[in-house]
Amino acid sequence: MVSKTHLLLGASAAAIGLSEAFAPSPMALGHSRASSLAQAASGVSQRSGDRAGVVCGATMSQRRSFVAGNWKMNPNTIDEAKALATAVIAEAKNAPGQVALFVPHVFLDEVAKLAKGSNVEIGAQNMYTETKGAFTGAVGASMVRSVGATHMLVGHSERRAIFGASEELINGQVLKALQDGLKPLLCIGETKSEYENGLNTKICAVQLAKGLEGVTKAQMREVTIAYEPVWAIGTGLVCDAKIAQEVHASVRAFIAELYDQETANGVRIQYGGSVTPESVDELMSMPDIDGCLVGGASLEAAKFKRIINYETGGAGGQGSSPFGGRPGGFREMVWKSMVK
């Protein structure tokens, strides 16, 4: 097993280089610059890519699927929240896997009471790394746990991009959630520019190495990873299932290098990014996609019902894009959104 410290050092170096590559500048950096940075990052991801196809096949069926709805800053009132939660709880009675709802803090208590004894678990969308103190506007892990939450969303792209959550803060949230008895769902993923430059697996490796620093092998049993390509969140665009599978497989391989193969085989990896009733079946047919993190569709009980009751007897990843099975750039993504 490769030293976790060695991988983290490589990931840190890659993160510095990648941030330079996509920082604003008077001149376009060009593909050659991005390519050289990708090579610099290859120390934390190349081996993962080499092993991506053989990592988890033997134990995929042993991982319980996990579909979670992220309500974000929705709905507007407690009455609307209770009505939506009640409908989702009813629709989840016969769901084949684990189901959770990540709801705004102000709705946690009432929604958790409604979900008690049901197949739906409850999570919070954010927390601070301290237990209590002079941190105006912050919420602690023990606080949300005391009102019924069992999961914690960490590192969502909107927290990173809009609120400036750093890798250090995200890592602290993962560790504090585990310390206080919550199950962290760690989000990772690349922007459109990073995707276009072929850096998706490198970005995920960097974010994993930093986000999981200090997390033990035993604690990894409580951690779920969500791969959310940033360009697909809220845009209506869905990453091709084959491409998502490649990234998921590389993530699993990298976890094997951070820890070991047993740990990697057991970790569940969700896909997140404009998941819909029309896209869920193909996504869930992929061997390394263990569930979905659902945004907008989780706000409509009928759509979320179809997603949590996914079917895997469909296309099995056979895409019909004229661009083929490999990444074809942003034009390919737009084409896929138009033919749905």
Side-chain angles (χ1 to χ4, degrees):
M1 182 178 72
V2 178
S3 165
K4 189 171 182 180
T5 301
H6 174 75
L7 288 172
L8 183 61
L9 289 173
S12 299
I16 294 172
L18 291 173
S19 64
E20 290 175 354
F22 296 101
S25 66
M27 300 176 61
L29 290 168
H31 182 72
S32 60
R33 170 66 168 155
S35 297
S36 66
L37 290 166
Q39 291 174 0
S42 64
V44 297
S45 63
Q46 182 60 52
R47 283 163 299 199
S48 300
D50 292 342
R51 298 165 52 197
V54 296
V55 169
C56 73
T59 61
M60 181 268 170
S61 62
Q62 299 174 11
R63 293 190 299 270
R64 185 186 180 197
S65 66
F66 183 17
V67 176
N70 177 18
W71 286 5
K72 305 189 180 184
M73 200 173 76
N74 297 290
N76 290 333
T77 68
I78 184 59
D79 289 338
E80 291 174 312
K82 290 167 68 174
L84 177 58
T86 299
V88 169
I89 290 166
E91 303 292 12
K93 287 181 178 179
N94 298 313
Q98 186 176 6
V99 179
L101 293 176
F102 289 89
V103 307
H105 292 142
V106 294
F107 300 148
L108 278 172
D109 186 35
E110 290 294 333
V111 172
K113 288 176 181 176
L114 291 171
K116 188 175 182 179
S118 74
N119 290 337
V120 177
E121 300 168 21
I122 303 301
Q125 298 175 12
N126 190 41
M127 54 164 280
Y128 191 48
T129 55
E130 298 291 338
T131 301
K132 62 180 181 179
F135 307 105
T136 301
V139 174
S142 59
M143 294 177 179
V144 298
R145 187 183 178 201
S146 72
V147 294
T150 54
H151 299 268
M152 179 61 68
L153 197 61
V154 180
H156 191 279
S157 62
E158 290 157 4
R159 298 303 308 179
R160 296 174 186 264
I162 300 173
F163 298 98
S166 66
E167 296 293 348
E168 292 73 21
L169 174 63
I170 291 165
N171 176 240
Q173 290 173 319
V174 170
L175 295 174
K176 184 60 173 173
L178 288 167
Q179 177 185 328
D180 285 3
L182 295 174
K183 299 176 181 179
L185 198 167
L186 174 62
C187 301
I188 60 174
E190 79 284 354
T191 65
K192 179 170 73 74
S193 295
E194 291 161 349
Y195 173 86
E196 287 286 272
N197 284 278
L199 300 174
N200 47 359
T201 58
K202 282 79 174 177
I203 293 295
C204 289
V206 168
Q207 293 174 345
L208 275 174
K210 288 179 172 288
L212 296 177
E213 178 68 9
V215 177
T216 68
K217 171 183 168 69
Q219 288 176 320
M220 282 300 293
R221 287 194 283 268
E222 304 299 323
V223 177
T224 299
I225 305 297
Y227 166 58
E228 45 160 19
V230 178
W231 47 264
I233 298 172
T235 64
L237 302 173
V238 180
C239 182
D240 180 84
K242 290 181 179 178
I243 299 171
Q245 163 59 24
E246 290 178 0
V247 178
H248 279 233
S250 74
V251 167
R252 198 176 304 283
F254 188 67
I255 292 172
E257 297 204 23
L258 286 176
Y259 297 94
D260 54 35
Q261 194 64 62
E262 179 186 27
T263 301
N265 287 344
V267 171
R268 292 180 296 180
I269 308 172
Q270 296 178 331
Y271 169 80
S274 296
V275 178
T276 66
E278 293 74 30
S279 64
V280 65
D281 292 345
E282 187 175 14
L283 288 166
M284 289 301 296
S285 72
M286 297 293 110
D288 285 290
I289 297 179
D290 304 311
C292 295
L293 180 59
V294 186
S298 69
L299 299 175
E300 298 183 43
K303 288 185 177 181
F304 197 51
K305 174 187 178 181
R306 177 63 183 82
I307 292 171
I308 62 179
N309 292 285
Y310 62 88
E311 300 174 2
T312 57
Q318 300 301 314
S320 57
S321 164
F323 298 90
R326 303 296 301 176
F330 196 64
R331 287 176 298 172
E332 178 180 358
M333 302 174 211
V334 174
W335 179 87
K336 287 177 183 136
S337 72
M338 293 172 64
V339 297
K340 289 189 181 299

